[in-house]
Amino acid sequence: MCTLTYYEHKVCKHVWAIVAEPCGPFMGFTTCPEFGDDSVKPTPQYLTTRSRPCPVCDLYGQYDRNQVRMVEAMGWGIKWGVGPGAGDFGCEIKLPGRGMCVML
């Protein structure tokens, strides 16, 4: 499973995710089968940075979308049920704020 790290730029406040440790050669958001399978993944690191270039402001949108994705929204989520997947029986509650439920 690919390991992600989230970055928030201290100046522009944009948030993006990078594939910090790919699970194999050339694996990333578009090639790793673990993304989009509705399974629960470990909480990634969330770091604030000033030195790392923002993909939107500093790179003007010219970045590898297999390795980097801009985060559109984040929020906390809780699930009571029999399994971690979206197809498993249970009740999901999404709460406002920063946390684990992410739209890339």
Side-chain angles (χ1 to χ4, degrees), residues 39-87:
S39 64
V40 175
K41 304 194 178 30
T43 304
Q45 283 187 324
Y46 190 94
L47 306 171
T48 55
T49 183
R50 187 182 305 255
S51 61
R52 203 173 253 278
C54 170
V56 174
C57 299
D58 299 326
L59 301 178
Y60 306 105
Q62 302 297 317
Y63 57 91
D64 182 3
R65 282 162 177 79
N66 189 38
Q67 297 298 312
V68 178
R69 292 283 172 101
M70 296 304 297
V71 175
E72 295 178 5
M74 295 181 84
W76 287 98
I78 300 170
K79 180 176 181 178
W80 286 281
V82 295

Side-chain angles (χ1 to χ4, degrees), residues 4-104:
L4 299 181
T5 300
Y6 290 97
Y7 288 97
E8 179 181 352
H9 202 276
K10 288 184 178 183
V11 177
C12 67
K13 303 298 183 195
H14 283 123
V15 179
W16 64 94
I18 68 161
V19 177
E21 292 181 37
C23 61
F26 307 109
M27 288 296 183
F29 288 108
T30 55
T31 54
C32 181
E34 298 291 327
F35 293 113
D37 67 355
D38 294 329
S39 64
V40 175
K41 304 194 178 30
T43 304
Q45 283 187 324
Y46 190 94
L47 306 171
T48 55
T49 183
R50 187 182 305 255
S51 61
R52 203 173 253 278
C54 170
V56 174
C57 299
D58 299 326
L59 301 178
Y60 306 105
Q62 302 297 317
Y63 57 91
D64 182 3
R65 282 162 177 79
N66 189 38
Q67 297 298 312
V68 178
R69 292 283 172 101
M70 296 304 297
V71 175
E72 295 178 5
M74 295 181 84
W76 287 98
I78 300 170
K79 180 176 181 178
W80 286 281
V82 295
D88 295 330
F89 181 77
C91 177
E92 292 183 3
I93 299 172
K94 294 186 174 148
L95 306 169
R98 286 214 171 133
M100 295 181 237
C101 298
V102 177
M103 295 176 61
L104 300 171

